[in-house]
Amino acid sequence: MPTPTLLDRRLVVVTGKGGVGKSTVSAALAVLAARAGKRVLVCEVNARERIAPLLGAPPAGSSVREARPGLFTLNVTPHEAMREYGIMVLKFRTIYDAVFENRLVRHFLRVIPSLAELVTLGKILFEAKSEERGRPRWDVVIVDAPATGHAVQLLRVPSALLDTVPAGPLRGDAEWMQALLLDPVRTALAIVTLPEEMPVNEAIELDAQVRNELGIPRAALFVNAMPEVRFTHEEETRLESLVGAPPPLGPAATAARLQALRAEQAQRYLARARAALDLPTTVLPLLPVAEWGAEAVERIADAIAAAPPQGAP
Ligand SMILES: Nc1ncnc2c1ncn2[C@@H]1O[C@H](COP(=O)(O)OP(=O)(O)OP(=O)(O)O)[C@@H](O)[C@H]1O
Ligand SMILES: [Mg+2]
């Protein structure tokens, strides 16, 4: 079952089109990891903070906070990451201040376009590889990554640096970051999509970029918000004949037919995503929930745990 395999990695990167359920899946995976007794950190990237609320905890800001036992959150903003990374790398704040707060240096840093991505990714990957008393600090770091294009931009930074930067500390950082990102034992990338045309198209393009450009080990596909197949073919035919009936039957039949149509389309997009991505696939239900929050995330976690992913290993 690939989900435990997914959560056996040290670093799990979750991405997909905007609004498809990346934060929900990240939070649900974190819940599952914590339920399995793992010490887990969920990182979101320069976002309006979403993960802590989805776990029923107050917003945590840009430092590591425990949302519930064993489950920690961190919102990584480039500004904070820049400062911390500088301090981490340069060890002493005085040196940091002398270097990073220097006007000339700051100007120089602004003209390196990928610096914000570098420090953001650096901060996350540093967490993923950090150890305390000879043991990994986190059993798993889950990254609620930005949507497709931005995620690719973020994840491509180490290899871009390796292509351009000469030997030195920056290159050294790019090297360990890239080694971690490409390591199939420690790292996995999960793609989230909705069973709809545009999200599936984008998932297919993203997957191609991951395979051809980034080289990060792909491990899972989550097809989120899948409408239930409620009616048999026979029932659908009967619904059709009821559409013209007086209310409430007629309008109810119309609504039911629309649901049936959407469920049928969703099945087609699911099949398309499965065929194109060829990844272990977990289908998550469309939940009729008015307010999306911790309760919904718990149900999505249950759904992931209950449904062994189907498809390629
Ligand atoms: N399985 C589901 N059933 C019903 N609604 C869902 C489901 N998953 C997500 N949603 C709805 O979609 C919204 C967006 O989900 P989420 O925030 O997880 O997506 P995202 O990909 O992280 O979005 P963004 O790109 O803005 O970060 C949720 O607030 C919720 O209203
Ligand atoms: Mg999100």
Side-chain angles (χ1 to χ4, degrees), residues 111-151:
V111 300
I112 302 179
S114 52
L115 190 75
E117 279 92 2
L118 173 70
V119 293
T120 300
L121 189 66
K123 166 82 179 145
I124 294 168
L125 300 188
F126 183 83
E127 290 291 344
K129 75 159 192 160
S130 74
E131 303 203 336
E132 276 172 0
R133 285 175 243 108
R135 289 208 60 244
R137 182 163 182 219
W138 309 106
D139 293 314
V140 56
V141 172
I142 296 169
V143 188
D144 177 13
T148 316
H150 287 126

mmCIF file of all heavy atoms in Angstrom, residues 111-151:
data_model
loop_
_atom_site.group_PDB
_atom_site.id
_atom_site.type_symbol
_atom_site.label_atom_id
_atom_site.label_comp_id
_atom_site.label_asym_id
_atom_site.label_seq_id
_atom_site.Cartn_x
_atom_site.Cartn_y
_atom_site.Cartn_z
ATOM 1 N N VAL A 111 19.021 41.059 -6.853
ATOM 2 C CA VAL A 111 19.158 40.798 -8.281
ATOM 3 C C VAL A 111 19.412 39.311 -8.597
ATOM 4 O O VAL A 111 19.462 38.924 -9.740
ATOM 5 C CB VAL A 111 20.263 41.666 -8.952
ATOM 6 C CG1 VAL A 111 19.941 43.135 -8.783
ATOM 7 C CG2 VAL A 111 21.641 41.333 -8.415
ATOM 8 N N ILE A 112 19.549 38.489 -7.548
ATOM 9 C CA ILE A 112 19.545 37.041 -7.817
ATOM 10 C C ILE A 112 18.087 36.613 -7.768
ATOM 11 O O ILE A 112 17.501 36.538 -6.696
ATOM 12 C CB ILE A 112 20.331 36.252 -6.744
ATOM 13 C CG1 ILE A 112 21.772 36.749 -6.684
ATOM 14 C CG2 ILE A 112 20.280 34.764 -7.035
ATOM 15 C CD1 ILE A 112 22.591 36.020 -5.638
ATOM 16 N N PRO A 113 17.488 36.331 -8.904
ATOM 17 C CA PRO A 113 16.034 36.169 -8.907
ATOM 18 C C PRO A 113 15.552 34.987 -8.082
ATOM 19 O O PRO A 113 14.481 35.024 -7.525
ATOM 20 C CB PRO A 113 15.700 35.968 -10.391
ATOM 21 C CG PRO A 113 16.981 35.711 -11.084
ATOM 22 C CD PRO A 113 18.091 36.184 -10.221
ATOM 23 N N SER A 114 16.351 33.946 -7.978
ATOM 24 C CA SER A 114 15.828 32.760 -7.308
ATOM 25 C C SER A 114 16.209 32.691 -5.835
ATOM 26 O O SER A 114 16.016 31.663 -5.203
ATOM 27 C CB SER A 114 16.321 31.512 -8.031
ATOM 28 O OG SER A 114 17.722 31.579 -8.161
ATOM 29 N N LEU A 115 16.701 33.800 -5.290
ATOM 30 C CA LEU A 115 17.154 33.739 -3.901
ATOM 31 C C LEU A 115 16.003 33.441 -2.934
ATOM 32 O O LEU A 115 16.160 32.654 -2.002
ATOM 33 C CB LEU A 115 17.854 35.033 -3.499
ATOM 34 C CG LEU A 115 18.541 34.869 -2.154
ATOM 35 C CD1 LEU A 115 19.811 34.055 -2.275
ATOM 36 C CD2 LEU A 115 18.822 36.200 -1.498
ATOM 37 N N ALA A 116 14.849 34.062 -3.183
ATOM 38 C CA ALA A 116 13.703 33.817 -2.298
ATOM 39 C C ALA A 116 13.352 32.332 -2.306
ATOM 40 O O ALA A 116 13.113 31.730 -1.256
ATOM 41 C CB ALA A 116 12.506 34.649 -2.743
ATOM 42 N N GLU A 117 13.347 31.739 -3.507
ATOM 43 C CA GLU A 117 13.050 30.303 -3.601
ATOM 44 C C GLU A 117 14.135 29.480 -2.920
ATOM 45 O O GLU A 117 13.851 28.504 -2.244
ATOM 46 C CB GLU A 117 12.928 29.860 -5.066
ATOM 47 C CG GLU A 117 11.595 30.163 -5.701
ATOM 48 C CD GLU A 117 11.587 31.507 -6.388
ATOM 49 O OE1 GLU A 117 12.643 32.170 -6.386
ATOM 50 O OE2 GLU A 117 10.527 31.895 -6.916
ATOM 51 N N LEU A 118 15.366 29.901 -3.138
ATOM 52 C CA LEU A 118 16.487 29.144 -2.552
ATOM 53 C C LEU A 118 16.372 29.071 -1.035
ATOM 54 O O LEU A 118 16.479 28.000 -0.442
ATOM 55 C CB LEU A 118 17.825 29.772 -2.942
ATOM 56 C CG LEU A 118 19.038 29.152 -2.233
ATOM 57 C CD1 LEU A 118 19.303 27.740 -2.727
ATOM 58 C CD2 LEU A 118 20.275 30.014 -2.392
ATOM 59 N N VAL A 119 16.124 30.201 -0.406
ATOM 60 C CA VAL A 119 16.086 30.175 1.061
ATOM 61 C C VAL A 119 14.818 29.496 1.570
ATOM 62 O O VAL A 119 14.838 28.832 2.611
ATOM 63 C CB VAL A 119 16.238 31.587 1.693
ATOM 64 C CG1 VAL A 119 17.626 32.132 1.429
ATOM 65 C CG2 VAL A 119 15.170 32.535 1.205
ATOM 66 N N THR A 120 13.726 29.652 0.819
ATOM 67 C CA THR A 120 12.476 28.989 1.218
ATOM 68 C C THR A 120 12.663 27.475 1.182
ATOM 69 O O THR A 120 12.390 26.763 2.155
ATOM 70 C CB THR A 120 11.336 29.403 0.270
ATOM 71 O OG1 THR A 120 11.179 30.816 0.358
ATOM 72 C CG2 THR A 120 10.030 28.737 0.644
ATOM 73 N N LEU A 121 13.134 26.992 0.036
ATOM 74 C CA LEU A 121 13.355 25.556 -0.106
ATOM 75 C C LEU A 121 14.441 25.088 0.860
ATOM 76 O O LEU A 121 14.323 24.025 1.472
ATOM 77 C CB LEU A 121 13.763 25.251 -1.560
ATOM 78 C CG LEU A 121 13.835 23.783 -1.934
ATOM 79 C CD1 LEU A 121 12.449 23.156 -1.872
ATOM 80 C CD2 LEU A 121 14.421 23.615 -3.331
ATOM 81 N N GLY A 122 15.478 25.918 0.998
ATOM 82 C CA GLY A 122 16.576 25.566 1.898
ATOM 83 C C GLY A 122 16.090 25.348 3.319
ATOM 84 O O GLY A 122 16.460 24.379 3.979
ATOM 85 N N LYS A 123 15.214 26.229 3.769
ATOM 86 C CA LYS A 123 14.664 26.123 5.121
ATOM 87 C C LYS A 123 13.892 24.800 5.289
ATOM 88 O O LYS A 123 14.061 24.086 6.274
ATOM 89 C CB LYS A 123 13.747 27.334 5.359
ATOM 90 C CG LYS A 123 12.843 27.242 6.553
ATOM 91 C CD LYS A 123 13.567 27.610 7.815
ATOM 92 C CE LYS A 123 12.623 27.533 9.012
ATOM 93 N NZ LYS A 123 13.316 27.062 10.209
ATOM 94 N N ILE A 124 13.062 24.480 4.303
ATOM 95 C CA ILE A 124 12.248 23.255 4.382
ATOM 96 C C ILE A 124 13.143 22.009 4.341
ATOM 97 O O ILE A 124 13.000 21.097 5.157
ATOM 98 C CB ILE A 124 11.240 23.211 3.207
ATOM 99 C CG1 ILE A 124 10.223 24.339 3.357
ATOM 100 C CG2 ILE A 124 10.539 21.869 3.144
ATOM 101 C CD1 ILE A 124 9.370 24.564 2.115
ATOM 102 N N LEU A 125 14.073 21.998 3.397
ATOM 103 C CA LEU A 125 14.922 20.820 3.246
ATOM 104 C C LEU A 125 15.871 20.671 4.435
ATOM 105 O O LEU A 125 16.225 19.560 4.820
ATOM 106 C CB LEU A 125 15.699 20.874 1.925
ATOM 107 C CG LEU A 125 14.846 20.917 0.656
ATOM 108 C CD1 LEU A 125 15.721 20.774 -0.583
ATOM 109 C CD2 LEU A 125 13.767 19.845 0.658
ATOM 110 N N PHE A 126 16.242 21.808 5.004
ATOM 111 C CA PHE A 126 17.085 21.758 6.205
ATOM 112 C C PHE A 126 16.333 21.046 7.328
ATOM 113 O O PHE A 126 16.881 20.207 8.030
ATOM 114 C CB PHE A 126 17.479 23.177 6.623
ATOM 115 C CG PHE A 126 18.398 23.210 7.802
ATOM 116 C CD1 PHE A 126 19.763 23.039 7.634
ATOM 117 C CD2 PHE A 126 17.895 23.397 9.084
ATOM 118 C CE1 PHE A 126 20.620 23.053 8.729
ATOM 119 C CE2 PHE A 126 18.745 23.410 10.183
ATOM 120 C CZ PHE A 126 20.109 23.244 10.002
ATOM 121 N N GLU A 127 15.048 21.379 7.468
ATOM 122 C CA GLU A 127 14.221 20.701 8.482
ATOM 123 C C GLU A 127 14.184 19.201 8.189
ATOM 124 O O GLU A 127 14.270 18.380 9.090
ATOM 125 C CB GLU A 127 12.793 21.260 8.500
ATOM 126 C CG GLU A 127 12.665 22.673 9.052
ATOM 127 C CD GLU A 127 12.938 22.770 10.553
ATOM 128 O OE1 GLU A 127 12.926 21.731 11.250
ATOM 129 O OE2 GLU A 127 13.197 23.889 11.032
ATOM 130 N N ALA A 128 14.014 18.860 6.908
ATOM 131 C CA ALA A 128 13.866 17.446 6.533
ATOM 132 C C ALA A 128 15.130 16.637 6.807
ATOM 133 O O ALA A 128 15.056 15.443 7.066
ATOM 134 C CB ALA A 128 13.482 17.326 5.059
ATOM 135 N N LYS A 129 16.280 17.279 6.754
ATOM 136 C CA LYS A 129 17.495 16.486 6.975
ATOM 137 C C LYS A 129 18.086 16.698 8.372
ATOM 138 O O LYS A 129 19.057 16.048 8.730
ATOM 139 C CB LYS A 129 18.540 16.789 5.899
ATOM 140 C CG LYS A 129 19.237 18.125 6.054
ATOM 141 C CD LYS A 129 20.560 18.131 5.293
ATOM 142 C CE LYS A 129 21.353 19.354 5.707
ATOM 143 N NZ LYS A 129 22.759 19.288 5.440
ATOM 144 N N SER A 130 17.458 17.588 9.150
ATOM 145 C CA SER A 130 18.112 17.925 10.424
ATOM 146 C C SER A 130 17.978 16.786 11.437
ATOM 147 O O SER A 130 17.006 16.028 11.461
ATOM 148 C CB SER A 130 17.566 19.235 10.987
ATOM 149 O OG SER A 130 16.287 19.028 11.490
ATOM 150 N N GLU A 131 18.968 16.656 12.261
ATOM 151 C CA GLU A 131 19.022 15.580 13.241
ATOM 152 C C GLU A 131 19.239 16.155 14.627
ATOM 153 O O GLU A 131 19.811 17.233 14.782
ATOM 154 C CB GLU A 131 20.168 14.629 12.902
ATOM 155 C CG GLU A 131 20.052 14.052 11.504
ATOM 156 C CD GLU A 131 20.794 12.743 11.328
ATOM 157 O OE1 GLU A 131 21.744 12.510 12.104
ATOM 158 O OE2 GLU A 131 20.409 11.977 10.432
ATOM 159 N N GLU A 132 18.709 15.427 15.603
ATOM 160 C CA GLU A 132 18.936 15.791 17.004
ATOM 161 C C GLU A 132 19.450 14.549 17.722
ATOM 162 O O GLU A 132 18.795 13.495 17.642
ATOM 163 C CB GLU A 132 17.625 16.255 17.649
ATOM 164 C CG GLU A 132 17.310 17.712 17.406
ATOM 165 C CD GLU A 132 15.917 18.093 17.898
ATOM 166 O OE1 GLU A 132 15.188 17.215 18.426
ATOM 167 O OE2 GLU A 132 15.549 19.259 17.749
ATOM 168 N N ARG A 133 20.538 14.667 18.354
ATOM 169 C CA ARG A 133 21.171 13.533 19.054
ATOM 170 C C ARG A 133 21.228 12.294 18.161
ATOM 171 O O ARG A 133 20.810 11.207 18.542
ATOM 172 C CB ARG A 133 20.417 13.212 20.351
ATOM 173 C CG ARG A 133 20.718 14.239 21.439
ATOM 174 C CD ARG A 133 19.885 13.987 22.693
ATOM 175 N NE ARG A 133 18.994 15.098 22.961
ATOM 176 C CZ ARG A 133 17.681 15.053 22.795
ATOM 177 N NH1 ARG A 133 17.090 13.978 22.375
ATOM 178 N NH2 ARG A 133 16.947 16.108 23.060
ATOM 179 N N GLY A 134 21.669 12.515 16.937
ATOM 180 C CA GLY A 134 21.885 11.385 16.038
ATOM 181 C C GLY A 134 20.629 10.798 15.413
ATOM 182 O O GLY A 134 20.688 9.831 14.668
ATOM 183 N N ARG A 135 19.453 11.390 15.743
ATOM 184 C CA ARG A 135 18.202 10.896 15.140
ATOM 185 C C ARG A 135 17.566 12.001 14.313
ATOM 186 O O ARG A 135 17.722 13.180 14.634
ATOM 187 C CB ARG A 135 17.205 10.496 16.245
ATOM 188 C CG ARG A 135 17.578 9.245 17.012
ATOM 189 C CD ARG A 135 16.326 8.565 17.541
ATOM 190 N NE ARG A 135 15.408 8.173 16.470
ATOM 191 C CZ ARG A 135 14.179 8.657 16.299
ATOM 192 N NH1 ARG A 135 13.705 9.556 17.113
ATOM 193 N NH2 ARG A 135 13.429 8.242 15.301
ATOM 194 N N PRO A 136 16.827 11.642 13.260
ATOM 195 C CA PRO A 136 16.149 12.687 12.493
ATOM 196 C C PRO A 136 15.217 13.481 13.407
ATOM 197 O O PRO A 136 14.544 12.909 14.260
ATOM 198 C CB PRO A 136 15.316 11.909 11.471
ATOM 199 C CG PRO A 136 15.914 10.552 11.424
ATOM 200 C CD PRO A 136 16.574 10.299 12.741
ATOM 201 N N ARG A 137 15.214 14.777 13.209
ATOM 202 C CA ARG A 137 14.334 15.610 14.032
ATOM 203 C C ARG A 137 12.860 15.306 13.716
ATOM 204 O O ARG A 137 12.007 15.323 14.591
ATOM 205 C CB ARG A 137 14.645 17.078 13.746
ATOM 206 C CG ARG A 137 13.809 18.004 14.581
ATOM 207 C CD ARG A 137 14.375 19.406 14.622
ATOM 208 N NE ARG A 137 13.546 20.218 15.481
ATOM 209 C CZ ARG A 137 13.226 21.481 15.228
ATOM 210 N NH1 ARG A 137 13.707 22.072 14.152
ATOM 211 N NH2 ARG A 137 12.456 22.156 16.039
ATOM 212 N N TRP A 138 12.587 15.037 12.433
ATOM 213 C CA TRP A 138 11.219 14.716 12.006
ATOM 214 C C TRP A 138 11.211 13.358 11.326
ATOM 215 O O TRP A 138 12.098 13.069 10.534
ATOM 216 C CB TRP A 138 10.707 15.767 11.003
ATOM 217 C CG TRP A 138 10.875 17.164 11.487
ATOM 218 C CD1 TRP A 138 11.794 18.076 11.060
ATOM 219 C CD2 TRP A 138 10.109 17.817 12.496
ATOM 220 N NE1 TRP A 138 11.656 19.243 11.748
ATOM 221 C CE2 TRP A 138 10.628 19.128 12.631
ATOM 222 C CE3 TRP A 138 9.036 17.436 13.309
ATOM 223 C CZ2 TRP A 138 10.112 20.042 13.549
ATOM 224 C CZ3 TRP A 138 8.529 18.344 14.219
ATOM 225 C CH2 TRP A 138 9.060 19.633 14.330
ATOM 226 N N ASP A 139 10.184 12.550 11.632
ATOM 227 C CA ASP A 139 10.040 11.303 10.866
ATOM 228 C C ASP A 139 9.636 11.639 9.444
ATOM 229 O O ASP A 139 10.076 11.003 8.501
ATOM 230 C CB ASP A 139 8.979 10.406 11.518
ATOM 231 C CG ASP A 139 9.437 9.892 12.879
ATOM 232 O OD1 ASP A 139 10.587 9.438 12.967
ATOM 233 O OD2 ASP A 139 8.655 9.984 13.846
ATOM 234 N N VAL A 140 8.770 12.631 9.317
ATOM 235 C CA VAL A 140 8.370 13.046 7.972
ATOM 236 C C VAL A 140 8.073 14.548 7.944
ATOM 237 O O VAL A 140 7.469 15.084 8.874
ATOM 238 C CB VAL A 140 7.166 12.206 7.450
ATOM 239 C CG1 VAL A 140 5.980 12.260 8.390
ATOM 240 C CG2 VAL A 140 6.720 12.660 6.048
ATOM 241 N N VAL A 141 8.562 15.187 6.889
ATOM 242 C CA VAL A 141 8.234 16.593 6.633
ATOM 243 C C VAL A 141 7.323 16.620 5.399
ATOM 244 O O VAL A 141 7.702 16.133 4.339
ATOM 245 C CB VAL A 141 9.501 17.436 6.379
ATOM 246 C CG1 VAL A 141 9.139 18.845 5.914
ATOM 247 C CG2 VAL A 141 10.357 17.504 7.638
ATOM 248 N N ILE A 142 6.119 17.133 5.579
ATOM 249 C CA ILE A 142 5.170 17.216 4.470
ATOM 250 C C ILE A 142 5.143 18.665 3.978
ATOM 251 O O ILE A 142 4.964 19.586 4.778
ATOM 252 C CB ILE A 142 3.765 16.757 4.913
ATOM 253 C CG1 ILE A 142 3.825 15.275 5.302
ATOM 254 C CG2 ILE A 142 2.729 16.993 3.810
ATOM 255 C CD1 ILE A 142 2.590 14.763 5.997
ATOM 256 N N VAL A 143 5.345 18.846 2.688
ATOM 257 C CA VAL A 143 5.377 20.195 2.132
ATOM 258 C C VAL A 143 4.091 20.458 1.372
ATOM 259 O O VAL A 143 3.811 19.815 0.357
ATOM 260 C CB VAL A 143 6.571 20.385 1.167
ATOM 261 C CG1 VAL A 143 6.684 21.850 0.758
ATOM 262 C CG2 VAL A 143 7.859 19.908 1.802
ATOM 263 N N ASP A 144 3.292 21.383 1.891
ATOM 264 C CA ASP A 144 2.113 21.851 1.159
ATOM 265 C C ASP A 144 2.651 22.889 0.174
ATOM 266 O O ASP A 144 2.696 24.078 0.463
ATOM 267 C CB ASP A 144 1.116 22.458 2.157
ATOM 268 C CG ASP A 144 -0.102 23.035 1.473
ATOM 269 O OD1 ASP A 144 -0.305 22.769 0.279
ATOM 270 O OD2 ASP A 144 -0.853 23.771 2.149
ATOM 271 N N ALA A 145 3.093 22.392 -0.973
ATOM 272 C CA ALA A 145 3.826 23.238 -1.919
ATOM 273 C C ALA A 145 2.876 24.186 -2.645
ATOM 274 O O ALA A 145 1.665 23.972 -2.660
ATOM 275 C CB ALA A 145 4.586 22.353 -2.911
ATOM 276 N N PRO A 146 3.432 25.226 -3.265
ATOM 277 C CA PRO A 146 2.587 26.126 -4.048
ATOM 278 C C PRO A 146 1.982 25.379 -5.246
ATOM 279 O O PRO A 146 2.355 24.236 -5.518
ATOM 280 C CB PRO A 146 3.568 27.204 -4.539
ATOM 281 C CG PRO A 146 4.812 27.009 -3.758
ATOM 282 C CD PRO A 146 4.840 25.614 -3.273
ATOM 283 N N ALA A 147 1.100 26.064 -5.970
ATOM 284 C CA ALA A 147 0.474 25.446 -7.142
ATOM 285 C C ALA A 147 1.521 25.262 -8.250
ATOM 286 O O ALA A 147 2.577 25.898 -8.253
ATOM 287 C CB ALA A 147 -0.690 26.298 -7.622
ATOM 288 N N THR A 148 1.172 24.392 -9.163
ATOM 289 C CA THR A 148 2.042 23.884 -10.232
ATOM 290 C C THR A 148 3.255 24.736 -10.618
ATOM 291 O O THR A 148 4.393 24.353 -10.328
ATOM 292 C CB THR A 148 1.182 23.640 -11.498
ATOM 293 O OG1 THR A 148 -0.020 23.001 -11.077
ATOM 294 C CG2 THR A 148 1.901 22.766 -12.494
ATOM 295 N N GLY A 149 3.018 25.859 -11.313
ATOM 296 C CA GLY A 149 4.119 26.636 -11.872
ATOM 297 C C GLY A 149 5.088 27.113 -10.802
ATOM 298 O O GLY A 149 6.311 27.002 -10.957
ATOM 299 N N HIS A 150 4.528 27.606 -9.708
ATOM 300 C CA HIS A 150 5.381 28.085 -8.622
ATOM 301 C C HIS A 150 6.124 26.955 -7.937
ATOM 302 O O HIS A 150 7.259 27.125 -7.491
ATOM 303 C CB HIS A 150 4.552 28.868 -7.606
ATOM 304 C CG HIS A 150 4.141 30.219 -8.113
ATOM 305 N ND1 HIS A 150 2.836 30.641 -8.132
ATOM 306 C CD2 HIS A 150 4.869 31.210 -8.655
ATOM 307 C CE1 HIS A 150 2.779 31.855 -8.654
ATOM 308 N NE2 HIS A 150 4.006 32.223 -8.983
ATOM 309 N N ALA A 151 5.475 25.823 -7.862
ATOM 310 C CA ALA A 151 6.138 24.667 -7.240
ATOM 311 C C ALA A 151 7.341 24.253 -8.079
ATOM 312 O O ALA A 151 8.418 23.982 -7.547
ATOM 313 C CB ALA A 151 5.154 23.506 -7.096
#
